[in-house]
């Protein structure tokens, strides 16, 4: 009996040792995204961005094999949380990445802290997210970072009376505040602040109010994936012919949906960190490779957030020589600098947010297709929310 038990014991530990060996040589990255539901375009873009990075740079880093596991949270925070726990507990994921909307990123923050597993926020943009765990690092952007430059552009370009229309949750509230406050401080007037619900938004009554207000411009934030529905109502209410200018952060004219928005989008001016039309060799190669790998789909800023998220994970694993210790990975990510398809970027060591250029862009037709064409830039913008001491 004892002999049998011992034999079983030896066999079991041999299996355990080989499993440990396999584990030691594989770094599992858990990617959680809304692959279904209203933010499915974000999921699709993020997954394609991460996969392209691996395809271009190989699936081995510092001697470790990279395994990317993608899970669909359907956009529900309780599902995001459960998937994060399963990825860490069952799949032994050493890094988590993705999270299509702010509440989904926030749902994972306590888990990242407790498990000491880096959480790479590659999509969401509410400024305070990175303050919710020392294990969060962001490769997307913050709404204050994108919105504040729009206020300055308006003031310089004689746009004095603006109505704001934002989706009523974290990033929309950030966009409204960080556009309105500097705009009013600089002498502008915000005639109305309208917030539309995230779930099943009906833009029509809100746009009617904007039309009645007759401002010089309407400043808009809707999350990526909602821009086409917004533009349809904008046209149906006749706002495209009203002389009221469409301005906003670049989420409303995101590159994924822009080609299908129609000529009414032409002339919209937005501030953002990425355009598929960005003129650099890195971006030209990125767009070409992305379109080739995805049946001609155009990458948007979500794809770039995930592509850069993978770049950051590869950088950190190289710096730790393959160690997956969570704190060591986070330490290696702080201060990391590289050239992204969007331009030069850096992880702010103090806030773990991304420092990047913000570009002023106008929708134009280029070779018969709509693009956000960059015509000005503000270099190395830090998240202003944290720079203001928050
Ligand atoms: C967010 O929920 O933080 C979010 C989602 C989509 C965007 C921007 C921010 O385009």
């Amino acid at each position: 009996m004892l002999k049998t038990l011992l034999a079983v014991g030896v066999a079991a530990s041999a299996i355990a040792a080989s499993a440990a060996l396999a584990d030691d040589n594989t770094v599992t990255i858990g990617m959680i995204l809304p692959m279904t539901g209203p933010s499915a375009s974000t999921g699709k873009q993020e997954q394609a961005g991460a996969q392209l990075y691996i395809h271009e740079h190989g699936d081995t880093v510092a001697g470790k094999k990279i395994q990317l596991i993608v899970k669909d949270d359907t956009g529900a925070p309780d599902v995001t949380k459960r998937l994060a726990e399963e990825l860490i507990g069952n799949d032994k994921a050493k890094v988590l990445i993705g999270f299509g909307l702010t509440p989904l990123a926030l749902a994972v923050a306590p888990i990242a802290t407790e498990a000491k597993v880096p959480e790479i926020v590659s999509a969401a943009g509410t400024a305070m997210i990175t303050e919710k765990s020392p294990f969060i690092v962001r490769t997307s952007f913050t709404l204050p970072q994108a919105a504040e430059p729009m206020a300055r552009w308006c003031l310089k370009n004689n746009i004095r009376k603006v109505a704001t229309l934002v989706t009523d949750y974290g990033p929309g509230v950030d966009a409204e505040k960080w556009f309105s406050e500097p705009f009013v401080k600089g002498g502008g007037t915000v005639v109305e602040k309208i917030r539309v619900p995230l779930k099943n938004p009906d833009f029509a009554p809100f746009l009617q109010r904007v039309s009645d207000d007759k401002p010089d411009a309407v400043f808009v934030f809707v999350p990526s994936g909602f821009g086409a529905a917004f533009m349809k109502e904008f046209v149906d209410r006749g706002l495209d012919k009203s002389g009221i200018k469409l301005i906003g952060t670049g989420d409303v004219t995101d590159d994924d949906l822009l080609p299908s928005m129609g000529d009414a989008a032409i002339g919209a001016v937005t501030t953002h960190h990425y355009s598929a039309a960005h003129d650099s060799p890195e971006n030209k190669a990125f767009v070409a490779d992305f379109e080739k790998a995805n049946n001609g789909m155009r990458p948007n800023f979500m794809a770039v957030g995930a592509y850069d998220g993978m770049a950051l994970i590869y950088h950190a694993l190289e710096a730790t020589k393959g160690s997956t210790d969570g704190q060591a990975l986070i330490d290696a990510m702080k201060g990391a600098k590289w050239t992204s398809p969007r331009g030069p970027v850096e992880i702010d060591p103090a806030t773990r947010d991304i420092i990047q250029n913000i570009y002023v862009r106008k929708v134009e037709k280029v070779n018969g297709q709509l693009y956000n064409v960059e015509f000005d830039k503000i270099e190395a913008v830090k998240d202003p929310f944290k720079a203001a001491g928050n």
Side-chain angles (χ1 to χ4, degrees):
M1 180 65 180
L2 182 64
K3 218 172 160 187
T4 322
L5 268 181
L6 273 177
V8 169
V10 168
S13 61
I15 292 166
S18 77
L21 207 68
D23 272 352
D24 268 4
N25 285 321
T26 302
V27 178
T28 299
I29 300 170
M31 185 169 215
I32 309 177
L33 293 168
M35 301 303 297
T36 49
S39 295
S41 69
T42 293
K44 182 183 62 175
Q45 287 274 345
E46 288 259 328
Q47 178 177 13
Q51 281 171 340
L52 178 62
Y53 190 89
I54 297 171
H55 177 72
E56 284 179 350
H57 297 84
D59 64 356
T60 305
V61 191
K64 300 286 174 86
K65 194 99 179 149
I66 299 294
Q67 182 191 25
L68 182 72
I69 302 180
V70 181
K71 299 271 183 187
D72 176 14
D73 65 8
T74 71
D78 52 325
V79 180
T80 321
K81 190 161 176 266
R82 176 174 55 75
L83 291 174
E85 282 163 354
E86 287 173 7
L87 281 163
I88 294 172
N90 302 344
D91 300 300
K92 309 290 171 233
K94 299 300 183 205
V95 182
L96 298 179
I97 182 171
F99 322 105
L101 295 160
T102 288
L104 313 175
L106 291 177
V108 177
I111 299 168
T113 305
E114 201 185 308
K116 299 189 178 3
V117 167
E119 175 186 349
I120 311 302
V121 172
S122 54
T126 306
M128 57 65 179
I129 291 174
T130 39
E131 296 180 342
K132 298 299 172 192
S133 168
F135 285 86
I136 294 180
V137 180
R138 175 157 29 204
T139 58
S140 49
F141 75 117
T142 79
L143 267 303
Q145 198 176 37
E148 196 185 41
M150 192 73 236
R152 301 194 192 296
W153 185 82
C154 285
L155 293 166
K156 266 200 284 184
N157 288 276
N158 213 26
I159 292 174
R160 297 276 143 198
K161 244 177 82 174
V162 174
T164 61
L165 189 156
V166 302
T167 304
D168 192 6
Y169 78 121
V173 173
D174 268 3
E176 180 192 274
K177 176 180 159 73
W178 288 88
F179 170 77
S180 302
E181 287 186 4
F183 182 62
V184 169
K185 224 182 196 166
T189 306
V190 176
V191 290
E192 181 149 34
K193 292 180 181 172
I194 299 169
R195 295 184 183 179
V196 297
L198 176 60
K199 284 208 174 118
N200 306 315
D202 173 9
F203 296 109
F206 301 104
L207 284 171
Q208 189 57 50
R209 272 160 65 190
V210 171
S211 173
D212 295 344
D213 288 337
K214 300 200 177 12
D216 299 329
V218 54
F219 170 90
V220 177
F221 167 81
V222 291
S224 179
F226 291 70
F230 171 83
M231 273 311 294
K232 186 181 173 307
E233 287 298 337
F234 193 77
V235 173
D236 285 356
R237 302 272 120 198
L239 269 95
D240 57 325
K241 302 203 168 59
S242 67
I244 300 172
K245 201 169 177 54
L246 177 61
I247 59 171
T249 57
D251 310 75
V252 66
T253 56
D254 99 59
D255 274 294
D256 194 3
L257 299 179
L258 186 59
S260 65
M261 279 187 198
D263 288 0
I266 291 175
V269 176
T270 55
T271 37
H272 227 215
H273 55 291
Y274 179 70
S275 165
H278 179 66
D279 190 10
S280 73
E282 291 81 11
N283 188 50
K284 286 206 165 83
F286 170 72
V287 173
D289 287 356
F290 189 94
E291 289 184 346
K292 194 166 155 214
N294 296 284
N295 284 324
M297 177 167 79
R298 192 196 285 182
N300 72 2
F301 62 97
M302 294 297 184
V304 175
Y307 185 84
D308 283 335
M310 290 305 302
L312 182 62
I313 295 168
Y314 273 43
H315 163 87
L317 281 168
E318 261 156 23
T320 63
K321 302 196 167 46
S323 163
T324 52
D325 176 76
Q327 188 60 57
L329 289 173
I330 289 287
D331 289 344
M333 289 177 189
K334 289 179 183 175
K337 275 186 198 187
W338 67 102
T339 304
S340 155
R342 63 186 109 172
V345 296
E346 179 181 352
I347 300 299
D348 188 336
T351 64
R352 289 163 280 104
D353 259 316
I354 192 158
I355 304 172
Q356 58 193 333
N357 295 345
I358 296 295
Y359 304 88
V360 190
R361 315 96 50 85
K362 185 186 269 173
V363 176
E364 287 175 15
K365 221 169 218 178
V366 181
N367 299 329
Q369 285 218 34
L370 298 179
Y371 278 95
N372 293 293
V373 178
E374 296 168 353
F375 62 91
D376 202 359
K377 74 174 169 206
I378 304 105
E379 285 184 26
V381 180
K382 287 189 179 192
D383 172 42
F385 171 79
K386 278 147 221 130
N390 289 290

